[in-house]
């Protein structure tokens, strides 16, 4: 267990507080709205974490970076700091940095990557892994290495990951595209606000069609727009796009659907009866669904239904 010296608290001029050089500019520009609202309404509610920088009066910020930026934007001139002692172990400094901005570190894979890359140059492997649970990650070497590798991505992808436009599991797919195609697909994800399995499916289908057919993302969308009238509802529009991409990627399924619908039209089922097929036509099974207004109507029809089923079995 670390034995910390008695904390020292100082009121520092905001102009003498220096941001870490390791952070990308887009991270510094992204002040969380809740930090801005809090700073504007209530000022500083807890100290930021800082350490002396060389022998001068300047201090480097180690924790509370977004709070500091929000306070500066709110016009605060002096900021309360908890100043790290020179005797504070390096591993404790990194842990305290995470704890001061824990929510931000748990949300942003890019923040995690920046800190872990810095820690990799200063800490032994065991102490690096001990930082992962503080960020909501399992203490596994492959996770640490995967996070650090995110900093090799094009900046557009890093920004999308940090802003939670893009999920980690879709990164591998996007890396198969040229930068311009990545940008186009990111704009599409931002337009529809897709997450979870829908985001994964859209990216997967568009990347595969782009590579298989050799057409650009813009051409794919232009062809879709030419056959689908616009709708004034983004969730509905995104669903139409996913269906179009699915049919284009699996034309045999589209043909099977058309044959099935033709058979249903020939049978002309009355109201209250609907026919369905198995998922992706994995077999030739047909589902017949009967709809009744309530139990009484079903009970009146039940004997005839049983007789029809029994006769059907006898005729087979």
């Amino acid at each position: 267990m670390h034995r910390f010296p008695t904390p020292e608290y100082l009121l520092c001029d905001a102009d003498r507080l220096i941001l870490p050089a390791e952070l990308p500019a887009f991270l510094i520009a992204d002040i969380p709205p809740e930090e801005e609202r809090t700073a504007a309404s209530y000022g500083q509610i807890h100290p930021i974490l800082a350490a002396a920088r060389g022998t001068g009066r300047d201090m480097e910020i180690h924790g509370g970076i977004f709070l500091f930026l929000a306070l500066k934007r709110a016009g605060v001139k002096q900021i309360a700091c908890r100043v790290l002692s020179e005797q504070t172990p390096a591993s404790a400094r990194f842990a305290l940095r995470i704890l001061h901005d824990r929510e931000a570190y748990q949300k942003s894979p890019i923040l995690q990557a920046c800190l872990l890359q810095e820690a990799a140059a200063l800490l032994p492997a065991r102490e690096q892994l001990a930082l992962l649970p503080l960020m909501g990650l399992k203490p596994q070497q492959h996770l640490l290495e995967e996070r650090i590798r995110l900093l090799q991505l094009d900046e557009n992808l890093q920004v999308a990951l940090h802003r939670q436009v893009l999920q980690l599991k879709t990164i591998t797919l996007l890396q198969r595209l040229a930068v311009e195609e990545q940008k186009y697909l990111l704009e599409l994800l931002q337009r529809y606000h897709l997450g979870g399995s829908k985001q994964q499916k859209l990216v997967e289908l568009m990347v595969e069609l782009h590579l298989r057919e050799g057409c650009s993302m813009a051409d794919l969308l232009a062809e879709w727009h030419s056959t689908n009238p616009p709708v004034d509802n983004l969730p509905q529009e995104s669903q139409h796009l996913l269906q179009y991409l699915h049919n284009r990627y699996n034309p045999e399924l589209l043909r099977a659907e058309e044959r099935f619908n033709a058979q249903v039209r020939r049978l002309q089922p009355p109201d209250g009866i609907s026919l369905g097929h198995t998922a992706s036509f994995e077999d030739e099974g047909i589902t017949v669904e009967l709809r009744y207004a309530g139990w009484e109507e079903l009970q009146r029809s039940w004997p005839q239904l049983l007789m029809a089923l029994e006769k059907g079995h006898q005729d087979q």
Side-chain angles (χ1 to χ4, degrees):
M1 181 179 292
H2 296 298
R3 293 185 177 276
F4 294 107
T6 302
E8 181 183 9
Y9 292 90
L10 293 176
L11 199 59
C12 302
D13 290 341
D15 292 338
R16 295 218 172 257
L17 291 168
I18 311 298
L19 290 167
E22 301 81 10
L23 287 181
F26 68 81
L27 284 181
I28 295 170
D30 268 10
I31 306 175
E34 60 273 15
E35 290 279 20
E36 287 200 271
R37 287 193 295 268
T38 301
S41 300
Y42 305 106
Q44 186 173 3
I45 59 173
H46 56 76
I48 67 171
L49 189 67
R53 185 184 177 98
T55 57
R57 293 173 55 201
D58 289 345
M59 309 281 286
E60 183 172 54
I61 300 170
H62 280 240
I65 290 167
F66 298 112
L67 172 58
F68 165 74
L69 292 168
L71 289 168
K72 281 203 74 174
R73 186 169 289 182
V76 176
K77 302 299 182 186
Q78 289 194 306
I79 294 178
C81 300
R82 175 185 175 179
V83 182
L84 290 173
S85 163
E86 291 181 3
Q87 285 75 45
T88 307
S91 58
R93 288 174 179 250
F94 283 109
L96 285 167
R97 283 171 62 176
I98 297 168
L99 293 172
H100 265 258
D101 290 300
R102 175 174 264 180
E103 186 176 357
Y105 275 103
Q106 290 186 344
K107 283 182 178 179
S108 171
I110 301 303
L111 266 179
Q112 295 168 4
C114 290
L115 182 136
L116 291 171
Q117 179 173 258
E118 190 181 344
L122 298 172
L123 301 181
R126 178 176 57 82
E127 292 181 356
Q128 294 174 46
L129 291 175
L131 298 173
L132 295 179
L134 299 178
M135 298 187 281
L137 302 172
K138 293 181 180 179
Q140 296 173 350
Q141 185 65 30
H142 76 92
L143 285 177
L144 188 148
E145 293 170 357
E146 285 173 6
R147 284 299 187 273
I148 294 175
R149 280 199 298 270
L150 294 178
L151 298 179
Q152 300 172 14
L153 295 172
D154 181 80
E155 186 174 292
N156 289 302
L157 297 184
Q158 292 188 42
V159 172
L161 276 173
H162 173 66
R163 294 178 180 168
Q164 298 177 293
V165 173
L166 190 62
Q167 299 171 156
L168 277 169
K169 61 185 179 182
T170 58
I171 282 292
T172 304
L173 287 167
L174 283 168
Q175 285 180 293
R176 299 169 67 187
L177 302 175
V179 172
E180 288 306 311
E181 298 292 0
Q182 290 176 2
K183 289 179 181 178
Y184 194 92
L185 197 43
L186 285 175
E187 289 172 4
L188 199 64
L189 294 176
Q190 288 173 312
R191 171 177 170 78
Y192 292 122
H193 302 288
L194 293 177
S197 59
K198 286 188 176 180
Q199 179 180 123
Q200 178 75 4
K201 196 64 181 175
L202 178 73
V203 173
E204 192 175 273
L205 288 169
M206 292 203 70
V207 169
E208 292 300 331
L209 285 167
H210 163 73
L211 295 174
R212 185 175 77 184
E213 300 182 11
C215 57
S216 69
M217 298 288 171
D219 288 343
L220 271 174
L221 265 293
E223 291 178 33
W224 169 60
H225 282 303
S226 69
T227 57
N228 288 265
V231 294
D232 191 23
N233 181 304
L234 285 179
Q236 188 178 349
E237 186 174 286
S238 67
Q239 193 57 44
H240 289 176
L241 174 57
L242 280 167
Q243 188 61 52
Y244 168 81
L245 295 171
H246 178 75
N247 291 340
R248 182 161 172 166
Y249 184 73
N250 301 284
E252 66 281 1
L253 290 182
L254 180 60
R255 288 192 288 272
E257 185 79 43
E258 290 170 347
R259 289 194 297 271
F260 177 83
N261 290 336
Q263 293 274 31
V264 171
R265 286 193 296 272
R266 278 195 288 273
L267 289 175
Q268 296 182 329
D271 291 342
I273 297 180
S274 59
L275 306 180
H277 56 75
T278 55
S280 300
F281 295 94
E282 57 193 24
D283 60 39
E284 295 184 0
I286 304 293
T287 301
V288 179
E289 183 177 319
L290 307 177
R291 180 172 176 79
Y292 290 91
W295 279 107
E296 290 185 7
E297 186 180 348
L298 173 61
Q299 286 169 343
R300 286 196 300 271
S301 301
W302 194 247
Q304 292 93 327
L305 281 174
L306 293 178
M307 288 175 59
L309 287 171
E310 185 177 348
K311 185 175 187 306
H313 288 309
Q314 291 172 353
D315 294 342
Q316 286 180 357

